[in-house]
Amino acid sequence: MGKEKELFEGVADEEVADEEVVEVAEVETELAVEKPAKKPRKKRVLTEEQKERLRANLAVGRRTALLNRQKKAKLKKIDKEEKVNAEEQKLSAYLRKKEAQKEALTEVEKLRKELAELKAQKAEAPKVEVVAEQSEPAKKPKKVVQKEKVENHVIKEEKVIEKKPEPEPEPKAEPTKPKKPEMTRKQLLKLMKGI
């Protein structure tokens, strides 16, 4: 079957190729015939007055175009200067901020060194023992003199008795109010029934 197919394919291709060549040749001849030759365009003849007027208009146009270009150039220059100034201000603010940070860091380092020196001096200094002194209480005890009479002897004796200050009473806790018993769900529903 494969051999038969090959035989028929070759025959069909040859017939189609001959027909295509004939059609292409006919199309080429039609195209060549249809193209008309372009006629040269006549040049417009101007008088001297018209030429002078056109030259004057051209000079005025060039002058205004030059002024417009100069105006745009000035505006661009101003915009560029403003942009550069803004960038410079931003940079100077950044540099001032950085400089302030560096100064703060140097100040911190300086303080750290001073602190280290003080610690070193404190470590080198001889240690002094601190003895706690007993201080007198703020309230002195009251002295009360009692006289007793002895019946057998006529001599009177005097005794000195010291009273200790009474300790301050501790503040009493405020009596707590009894808590209301919590209502059950059933009781809540009863109360809410009338609402």
Side-chain angles (χ1 to χ4, degrees), residues 62-79:
R62 286 180 178 167
R63 208 174 309 122
T64 55
L66 177 66
L67 291 175
N68 288 340
R69 283 194 308 271
Q70 288 175 347
K71 185 178 177 181
K72 284 184 181 180
K74 286 178 183 178
L75 289 173
K76 282 184 181 179
K77 186 177 179 181
I78 291 170
D79 288 341

Side-chain angles (χ1 to χ4, degrees), residues 182-194:
E182 292 186 23
M183 298 178 129
T184 61
R185 184 168 186 231
K186 190 174 183 181
Q187 290 171 339
L188 277 172
L189 290 174
K190 270 187 180 180
L191 285 173
M192 292 175 66
K193 199 174 199 181

Side-chain angles (χ1 to χ4, degrees), residues 10-66:
V11 174
D13 290 338
E14 290 175 8
E15 290 176 5
V16 173
D18 291 337
E19 291 175 10
E20 287 178 8
V21 172
V22 173
E23 289 177 13
V24 171
E26 290 175 7
V27 172
E28 288 178 3
T29 55
E30 290 175 8
L31 290 176
V33 174
E34 290 179 16
K35 290 185 180 179
K38 286 189 177 181
K39 294 179 183 177
R41 188 174 173 194
K42 288 185 178 179
K43 196 171 184 181
R44 184 175 154 197
V45 180
L46 298 174
T47 62
E48 284 299 317
E49 293 174 0
Q50 290 174 336
K51 287 182 182 178
E52 287 298 319
R53 186 174 47 86
L54 288 176
R55 285 184 191 125
N57 287 344
L58 184 62
V60 169
R62 286 180 178 167
R63 208 174 309 122
T64 55
L66 177 66

